[in-house]
Amino acid sequence: MVRQLPTVLVTGASSGIGATYADRFARRGHDLVLVARDQTRLEELASRLRAETGVKIDVVRADLTDSADLARVETRLRDDDSIGVLINNAGVSAPGGFANGDLDVMDRLIRLNVTAVTRLAGAVVPRFLARGDGAIINIASVLGLAPEISLGAYGPSKAYVLALSQSLQAELGGRGVYVQAVLPAATRTEIWAKSGRDVNTLKGVMEVDELVDAALAGFDRREAVTIPPLPDAGQWEKFNAARQAMLPNFANEHAAERYRTGNPGNSIAAQ
Ligand SMILES: NC(=O)c1ccc[n+]([C@@H]2O[C@H](COP(=O)([O-])OP(=O)(O)OC[C@H]3O[C@@H](n4cnc5c(N)ncnc54)[C@H](OP(=O)(O)O)[C@@H]3O)[C@@H](O)[C@H]2O)c1
Protein backbone atom coordinates (compact mmCIF):
# COMPACT_ATOMS: atom_id res chain seq x y z
CA MET A 1 0.00 0.00 0.00
CA VAL A 2 1.35 3.43 -0.90
CA ARG A 3 1.49 5.57 2.23
CA GLN A 4 -0.27 8.92 1.99
CA LEU A 5 2.13 11.90 2.06
CA PRO A 6 1.91 13.68 5.42
CA THR A 7 -0.16 16.83 5.75
CA VAL A 8 1.94 19.92 6.46
CA LEU A 9 0.78 22.54 8.99
CA VAL A 10 2.37 25.94 8.26
CA THR A 11 2.09 28.84 10.70
CA GLY A 12 2.34 32.33 9.26
CA ALA A 13 1.20 31.03 5.88
CA SER A 14 -0.54 34.21 4.74
CA SER A 15 2.62 35.87 3.36
CA GLY A 16 6.37 35.66 2.79
CA ILE A 17 8.31 32.57 3.77
CA GLY A 18 5.27 30.68 5.11
CA ALA A 19 3.20 31.25 1.95
CA THR A 20 6.18 30.08 -0.14
CA TYR A 21 6.58 26.89 1.94
CA ALA A 22 2.85 26.27 1.42
CA ASP A 23 3.30 26.63 -2.33
CA ARG A 24 6.29 24.25 -2.41
CA PHE A 25 4.73 21.51 -0.26
CA ALA A 26 1.46 21.71 -2.26
CA ARG A 27 3.48 21.21 -5.46
CA ARG A 28 5.09 18.17 -3.83
CA GLY A 29 1.58 16.76 -3.33
CA HIS A 30 1.12 17.36 0.41
CA ASP A 31 -2.22 18.41 1.87
CA LEU A 32 -1.91 21.56 3.96
CA VAL A 33 -3.23 23.28 7.06
CA LEU A 34 -2.59 27.01 6.77
CA VAL A 35 -2.53 29.11 9.95
CA ALA A 36 -2.38 32.92 10.37
CA ARG A 37 -4.63 35.82 11.39
CA ASP A 38 -5.57 37.12 7.93
CA GLN A 39 -8.27 34.67 6.85
CA THR A 40 -8.90 36.40 3.50
CA ARG A 41 -5.28 36.04 2.42
CA LEU A 42 -5.17 32.43 3.62
CA GLU A 43 -8.37 31.61 1.65
CA GLU A 44 -6.95 33.27 -1.49
CA LEU A 45 -3.71 31.27 -1.24
CA ALA A 46 -5.65 28.07 -0.50
CA SER A 47 -7.98 28.55 -3.52
CA ARG A 48 -5.04 29.17 -5.85
CA LEU A 49 -3.07 26.17 -4.59
CA ARG A 50 -6.13 23.86 -4.65
CA ALA A 51 -6.75 24.86 -8.29
CA GLU A 52 -3.10 24.52 -9.30
CA THR A 53 -2.17 21.35 -7.42
CA GLY A 54 -5.37 19.52 -6.42
CA VAL A 55 -4.24 19.04 -2.79
CA LYS A 56 -6.62 19.40 0.17
CA ILE A 57 -6.14 22.60 2.17
CA ASP A 58 -7.68 23.68 5.47
CA VAL A 59 -7.50 27.27 6.64
CA VAL A 60 -7.29 27.98 10.37
CA ARG A 61 -7.58 31.60 11.43
CA ALA A 62 -5.60 32.01 14.64
CA ASP A 63 -3.72 34.72 16.48
CA LEU A 64 -0.91 32.67 17.98
CA THR A 65 -0.31 35.28 20.69
CA ASP A 66 -3.83 34.58 21.97
CA SER A 67 -3.91 31.61 24.39
CA ALA A 68 -7.31 30.31 23.25
CA ASP A 69 -6.37 30.47 19.54
CA LEU A 70 -2.99 28.88 20.24
CA ALA A 71 -4.70 26.08 22.20
CA ARG A 72 -6.97 25.33 19.17
CA VAL A 73 -3.91 24.87 16.94
CA GLU A 74 -2.21 22.73 19.61
CA THR A 75 -5.31 20.51 19.74
CA ARG A 76 -5.26 20.13 15.97
CA LEU A 77 -1.60 19.09 16.08
CA ARG A 78 -2.28 16.64 18.92
CA ASP A 79 -5.34 15.02 17.37
CA ASP A 80 -4.96 15.11 13.58
CA ASP A 81 -2.91 12.05 12.71
CA SER A 82 -2.64 13.09 9.06
CA ILE A 83 -0.29 15.96 10.05
CA GLY A 84 3.32 14.77 9.77
CA VAL A 85 5.18 18.06 9.25
CA LEU A 86 4.97 21.21 11.40
CA ILE A 87 6.50 24.41 10.02
CA ASN A 88 6.95 26.83 12.92
CA ASN A 89 7.31 29.92 10.76
CA ALA A 90 5.04 32.70 12.10
CA GLY A 91 7.17 35.44 13.57
CA VAL A 92 7.42 39.18 13.99
CA SER A 93 10.20 41.69 14.32
CA ALA A 94 9.89 44.93 16.28
CA PRO A 95 11.71 48.23 16.01
CA GLY A 96 13.68 49.70 18.89
CA GLY A 97 15.81 48.39 21.72
CA PHE A 98 15.60 48.48 25.49
CA ALA A 99 16.45 52.18 25.91
CA ASN A 100 13.21 53.25 24.27
CA GLY A 101 11.45 49.89 23.91
CA ASP A 102 7.75 49.18 24.24
CA LEU A 103 7.60 46.23 26.63
CA ASP A 104 4.12 45.20 25.47
CA VAL A 105 5.39 44.94 21.89
CA MET A 106 8.36 42.87 23.11
CA ASP A 107 6.03 40.68 25.11
CA ARG A 108 3.87 39.98 22.04
CA LEU A 109 7.03 39.21 20.04
CA ILE A 110 8.11 36.68 22.67
CA ARG A 111 4.63 35.12 22.79
CA LEU A 112 4.75 34.53 19.03
CA ASN A 113 8.46 33.90 18.32
CA VAL A 114 9.16 31.87 21.47
CA THR A 115 6.05 30.66 23.34
CA ALA A 116 3.95 29.64 20.32
CA VAL A 117 6.92 27.89 18.68
CA THR A 118 7.57 25.95 21.89
CA ARG A 119 3.94 25.02 22.59
CA LEU A 120 3.23 23.91 19.01
CA ALA A 121 6.35 21.71 18.98
CA GLY A 122 5.39 20.36 22.41
CA ALA A 123 1.87 19.56 21.20
CA VAL A 124 3.00 17.51 18.22
CA VAL A 125 6.12 15.72 19.50
CA PRO A 126 4.38 12.99 21.57
CA ARG A 127 2.26 11.95 18.56
CA PHE A 128 5.27 12.00 16.21
CA LEU A 129 7.23 9.88 18.71
CA ALA A 130 4.37 7.41 19.08
CA ARG A 131 4.24 6.84 15.33
CA GLY A 132 8.02 6.97 14.93
CA ASP A 133 8.12 9.69 12.28
CA GLY A 134 7.43 13.35 11.64
CA ALA A 135 9.32 16.54 10.98
CA ILE A 136 9.48 20.00 12.53
CA ILE A 137 10.94 22.96 10.64
CA ASN A 138 11.71 25.89 12.94
CA ILE A 139 12.35 29.23 11.24
CA ALA A 140 15.04 30.98 13.28
CA SER A 141 17.37 33.67 11.85
CA VAL A 142 21.07 34.41 11.46
CA LEU A 143 20.36 37.15 14.03
CA GLY A 144 20.09 34.31 16.55
CA LEU A 145 23.86 33.95 16.04
CA ALA A 146 24.38 37.72 16.02
CA PRO A 147 22.05 39.28 18.58
CA GLU A 148 24.48 42.21 18.93
CA ILE A 149 23.64 43.52 15.47
CA SER A 150 19.91 43.98 16.09
CA LEU A 151 18.20 45.84 18.89
CA GLY A 152 15.67 44.44 21.31
CA ALA A 153 14.22 40.96 21.73
CA TYR A 154 14.13 39.75 18.11
CA GLY A 155 17.71 38.38 17.92
CA PRO A 156 17.43 36.73 21.35
CA SER A 157 14.08 35.18 20.36
CA LYS A 158 15.74 33.61 17.32
CA ALA A 159 18.69 32.38 19.42
CA TYR A 160 16.03 30.60 21.47
CA VAL A 161 14.52 28.99 18.34
CA LEU A 162 17.96 27.66 17.37
CA ALA A 163 18.61 26.39 20.92
CA LEU A 164 15.15 24.81 21.08
CA SER A 165 15.82 23.02 17.80
CA GLN A 166 19.15 21.69 19.09
CA SER A 167 17.54 20.57 22.32
CA LEU A 168 14.77 18.77 20.41
CA GLN A 169 17.34 17.17 18.09
CA ALA A 170 19.22 15.81 21.14
CA GLU A 171 16.02 14.49 22.72
CA LEU A 172 14.40 13.06 19.59
CA GLY A 173 17.46 11.97 17.56
CA GLY A 174 17.31 8.33 16.56
CA ARG A 175 13.57 8.10 17.32
CA GLY A 176 12.36 8.91 13.81
CA VAL A 177 11.52 12.58 14.31
CA TYR A 178 13.53 15.09 12.27
CA VAL A 179 13.99 18.68 13.46
CA GLN A 180 15.50 21.36 11.20
CA ALA A 181 16.46 24.89 12.22
CA VAL A 182 16.48 27.28 9.27
CA LEU A 183 18.48 30.51 9.64
CA PRO A 184 17.60 32.99 6.90
CA ALA A 185 19.39 36.33 6.65
CA ALA A 186 17.59 39.35 5.16
CA THR A 187 14.91 38.06 2.83
CA ARG A 188 12.50 40.16 0.77
CA THR A 189 9.17 39.82 2.63
CA GLU A 190 6.67 42.08 4.36
CA ILE A 191 8.37 41.63 7.75
CA TRP A 192 10.59 44.65 7.04
CA ALA A 193 7.79 47.11 6.23
CA LYS A 194 5.74 45.78 9.16
CA SER A 195 8.56 46.77 11.52
CA GLY A 196 9.06 50.15 9.86
CA ARG A 197 12.08 49.37 7.65
CA ASP A 198 12.50 49.76 3.90
CA VAL A 199 14.00 46.51 2.62
CA ASN A 200 15.26 48.36 -0.47
CA THR A 201 17.80 50.22 1.68
CA LEU A 202 19.50 46.91 2.61
CA LYS A 203 22.30 45.09 0.77
CA GLY A 204 22.40 41.35 0.20
CA VAL A 205 18.67 40.67 0.40
CA MET A 206 17.61 37.20 -0.79
CA GLU A 207 14.38 36.64 -2.74
CA VAL A 208 11.90 34.52 -0.80
CA ASP A 209 11.62 31.80 -3.49
CA GLU A 210 15.38 31.23 -3.43
CA LEU A 211 15.43 31.17 0.39
CA VAL A 212 12.69 28.56 0.69
CA ASP A 213 14.04 26.38 -2.14
CA ALA A 214 17.47 26.37 -0.46
CA ALA A 215 15.93 25.60 2.95
CA LEU A 216 14.04 22.70 1.36
CA ALA A 217 17.29 21.38 -0.16
CA GLY A 218 18.61 21.29 3.44
CA PHE A 219 15.36 19.62 4.58
CA ASP A 220 15.68 16.91 1.92
CA ARG A 221 19.26 16.24 3.11
CA ARG A 222 18.00 16.09 6.70
CA GLU A 223 20.37 18.87 7.80
CA ALA A 224 20.10 19.87 11.44
CA VAL A 225 20.85 23.53 10.78
CA THR A 226 20.40 25.17 7.38
CA ILE A 227 21.85 28.63 6.73
CA PRO A 228 20.93 29.34 3.09
CA PRO A 229 23.09 32.47 2.55
CA LEU A 230 26.30 31.12 4.19
CA PRO A 231 28.78 30.20 1.40
CA ASP A 232 31.10 28.04 3.56
CA ALA A 233 29.18 25.47 5.63
CA GLY A 234 32.51 24.70 7.36
CA GLN A 235 32.27 28.03 9.23
CA TRP A 236 29.08 26.91 10.96
CA GLU A 237 30.55 23.46 11.60
CA LYS A 238 33.70 24.93 13.22
CA PHE A 239 31.63 27.32 15.35
CA ASN A 240 29.41 24.47 16.52
CA ALA A 241 32.41 22.19 17.16
CA ALA A 242 34.08 24.92 19.29
CA ARG A 243 30.89 25.19 21.36
CA GLN A 244 30.70 21.43 21.82
CA ALA A 245 34.40 21.23 22.75
CA MET A 246 33.63 23.42 25.79
CA LEU A 247 30.93 21.09 27.13
CA PRO A 248 33.12 18.52 28.95
CA ASN A 249 34.92 21.41 30.67
CA PHE A 250 31.82 22.64 32.52
CA ALA A 251 31.61 19.70 34.97
CA ASN A 252 33.94 20.93 37.71
CA GLU A 253 33.58 20.95 41.47
CA HIS A 254 35.62 24.12 41.76
CA ALA A 255 35.60 27.51 40.14
CA ALA A 256 38.26 28.20 37.57
CA GLU A 257 41.56 29.46 38.89
CA ARG A 258 40.84 33.02 37.73
CA TYR A 259 37.77 33.23 40.02
CA ARG A 260 39.32 31.82 43.21
CA THR A 261 39.42 34.29 46.05
CA GLY A 262 42.50 34.15 48.21
CA ASN A 263 44.74 34.37 45.19
CA PRO A 264 46.06 37.93 45.40
CA GLY A 265 46.52 38.08 41.61
CA ASN A 266 42.75 37.70 41.21
CA SER A 267 41.61 40.64 43.31
CA ILE A 268 40.70 43.93 41.71
CA ALA A 269 42.48 45.75 44.57
CA ALA A 270 45.74 44.08 43.51
CA GLN A 271 45.55 45.70 40.07
N1 LIG B 1 12.28 38.14 6.00
C1 LIG B 1 13.46 38.10 6.66
O1 LIG B 1 14.40 38.88 6.39
C2 LIG B 1 13.66 37.04 7.73
C3 LIG B 1 14.98 36.77 8.13
C4 LIG B 1 15.17 35.81 9.13
C5 LIG B 1 14.09 35.15 9.68
N2 LIG B 1 12.81 35.44 9.27
C6 LIG B 1 11.69 34.74 9.92
O2 LIG B 1 10.87 34.16 8.93
C7 LIG B 1 9.56 33.97 9.47
C8 LIG B 1 8.53 34.44 8.46
O3 LIG B 1 8.64 35.82 8.28
P1 LIG B 1 8.51 36.54 6.86
O4 LIG B 1 9.79 37.17 6.57
O5 LIG B 1 7.91 35.62 5.89
O6 LIG B 1 7.52 37.74 7.27
P2 LIG B 1 5.99 38.03 6.92
O7 LIG B 1 5.78 38.06 5.46
O8 LIG B 1 5.67 39.23 7.72
O9 LIG B 1 5.23 36.76 7.49
C9 LIG B 1 4.93 36.58 8.84
C10 LIG B 1 3.78 35.62 8.95
O10 LIG B 1 3.48 35.44 10.34
C11 LIG B 1 2.09 35.66 10.53
N3 LIG B 1 1.82 36.21 11.85
C12 LIG B 1 2.24 37.38 12.38
N4 LIG B 1 1.74 37.56 13.60
C13 LIG B 1 0.96 36.47 13.85
C14 LIG B 1 0.17 36.07 14.96
N5 LIG B 1 0.05 36.84 16.05
N6 LIG B 1 -0.49 34.89 14.89
C15 LIG B 1 -0.40 34.12 13.78
N7 LIG B 1 0.35 34.43 12.71
C16 LIG B 1 1.02 35.60 12.75
C17 LIG B 1 1.68 36.65 9.44
O11 LIG B 1 0.30 36.51 9.10
P3 LIG B 1 -0.94 37.36 9.67
O12 LIG B 1 -0.49 38.78 9.72
O13 LIG B 1 -2.01 37.06 8.66
O14 LIG B 1 -1.22 36.77 11.01
C18 LIG B 1 2.52 36.14 8.28
O15 LIG B 1 1.87 35.10 7.63
C19 LIG B 1 9.54 34.74 10.79
O16 LIG B 1 9.67 33.84 11.87
C20 LIG B 1 10.75 35.64 10.70
O17 LIG B 1 11.26 36.00 11.95
C21 LIG B 1 12.58 36.38 8.29
Side-chain angles (χ1 to χ4, degrees), residues 79-93:
D79 296 348
D80 183 345
D81 204 35
S82 72
I83 297 173
V85 180
L86 162 64
I87 308 184
N88 252 328
N89 163 78
V92 284
S93 178

Side-chain angles (χ1 to χ4, degrees), residues 7-23:
T7 297
V8 179
L9 185 144
V10 190
T11 69
S14 62
S15 66
I17 294 170
T20 308
Y21 266 112
D23 176 275

Side-chain angles (χ1 to χ4, degrees), residues 12-17 36-38 62-65 89-92 112 139-141 154 158 184-187 189-192 194:
S14 62
S15 66
I17 294 170
R37 292 168 304 177
D38 189 331
D63 178 345
L64 297 175
T65 65
N89 163 78
V92 284
L112 184 64
I139 308 299
S141 164
Y154 181 78
K158 293 301 181 175
T187 307
T189 70
E190 296 169 13
I191 201 170
W192 295 94
K194 286 174 189 164

Side-chain angles (χ1 to χ4, degrees), residues 49-109:
L49 292 179
R50 281 186 204 110
E52 288 176 5
T53 68
V55 301
K56 282 197 282 175
I57 305 180
D58 267 9
V59 161
V60 176
R61 202 216 71 83
D63 178 345
L64 297 175
T65 65
D66 176 272
S67 321
D69 281 10
L70 180 57
R72 271 194 296 119
V73 182
E74 288 171 31
T75 302
R76 179 75 185 258
L77 285 167
R78 241 181 241 114
D79 296 348
D80 183 345
D81 204 35
S82 72
I83 297 173
V85 180
L86 162 64
I87 308 184
N88 252 328
N89 163 78
V92 284
S93 178
F98 284 85
N100 56 357
D102 179 335
L103 288 184
D104 293 330
V105 170
M106 270 190 215
D107 183 55
R108 274 200 300 281
L109 180 151

